[in-house]
Amino acid sequence: MKPVSIELEKINEKYYLNIPKAIVELMGWSEGDVLLIPFYEISKKDDYARRMEIAKVYKNEIEVNIGDKPFKITREQVIELLENPTPDLFNYRTAFIEWEGEKFGSKAVCKKLFGQREFNTITGEHYLKQLGFPPKRKYDLM
């Protein structure tokens, strides 16, 4: 479940949520309707971010099931590749990983690690994420 960020507005000792107009129209609500919103957990954004940083536990070695035979890659192999990059690692359209302020194409990194095996970007990012290199997308940053 992805976290949702909502700003609360306090008016006359009551809290209000600003719900986008498109959702109001989609749901058929009108001004003055009272909504019951069940929450699984309520926490401040800073608390959530801090908790997520602590929860990050990465594997040092994983088994990759692409192609005929499974093979293993390590976190050290990825770090070695990122610290000694070739020019093709900087190529990406939308998906990338960051290392020491540099952006590297996640698929380009996976091609070096996996050899020339057939895989898609999402599969490669899944394995990189397990090793502690979470994928990012250009359109998520806007």
Side-chain angles (χ1 to χ4, degrees):
M1 181 192 247
K2 284 189 169 185
V4 176
S5 187
I6 297 176
E7 233 176 271
L8 293 175
E9 188 177 344
K10 191 174 185 179
I11 303 171
N12 297 331
E13 299 304 314
K14 289 186 178 180
Y15 289 98
Y16 292 89
L17 301 173
N18 286 323
I19 298 173
K21 194 175 230 171
I23 293 175
V24 171
E25 290 173 2
L26 178 71
M27 299 302 292
W29 296 330
S30 63
E31 194 171 324
D33 281 349
V34 177
L35 305 174
L36 175 63
I37 303 174
F39 289 98
Y40 171 72
E41 178 184 351
I42 300 174
S43 60
K44 287 187 173 180
K45 188 175 181 180
D46 295 340
D47 296 341
Y48 179 79
R50 190 174 20 254
R51 203 169 57 241
M52 293 315 290
E53 283 181 17
I54 293 169
K56 291 180 183 175
V57 177
Y58 302 117
K59 297 178 182 177
N60 286 323
E61 182 178 273
I62 60 168
E63 188 170 292
V64 178
N65 293 312
I66 296 175
D68 300 338
K69 265 197 227 174
F71 57 96
K72 294 185 180 193
I73 58 172
T74 64
R75 182 173 168 79
E76 288 75 31
Q77 284 176 306
V78 179
I79 292 171
E80 176 70 28
L81 189 61
L82 298 178
E83 288 182 347
N84 302 304
T86 55
D88 60 324
L89 292 182
F90 295 100
N91 296 335
Y92 65 92
R93 288 190 184 141
T94 56
F96 63 91
I97 58 173
E98 285 186 311
W99 179 256
E100 296 181 351
E102 295 283 337
K103 294 179 182 178
F104 300 95
S106 51
K107 188 154 186 171
V109 170
C110 290
K111 279 183 181 178
K112 291 278 188 185
L113 291 171
F114 303 163
Q116 296 301 320
R117 293 175 175 86
E118 281 295 315
F119 66 95
N120 61 32
T121 305
I122 293 173
T123 302
E125 288 177 338
H126 167 74
Y127 292 118
L128 289 174
K129 189 175 184 180
Q130 288 181 4
L131 291 170
F133 301 95
K136 296 183 180 177
R137 305 234 175 227
K138 282 188 349 187
Y139 49 79
D140 288 343
L141 302 176
M142 295 179 186

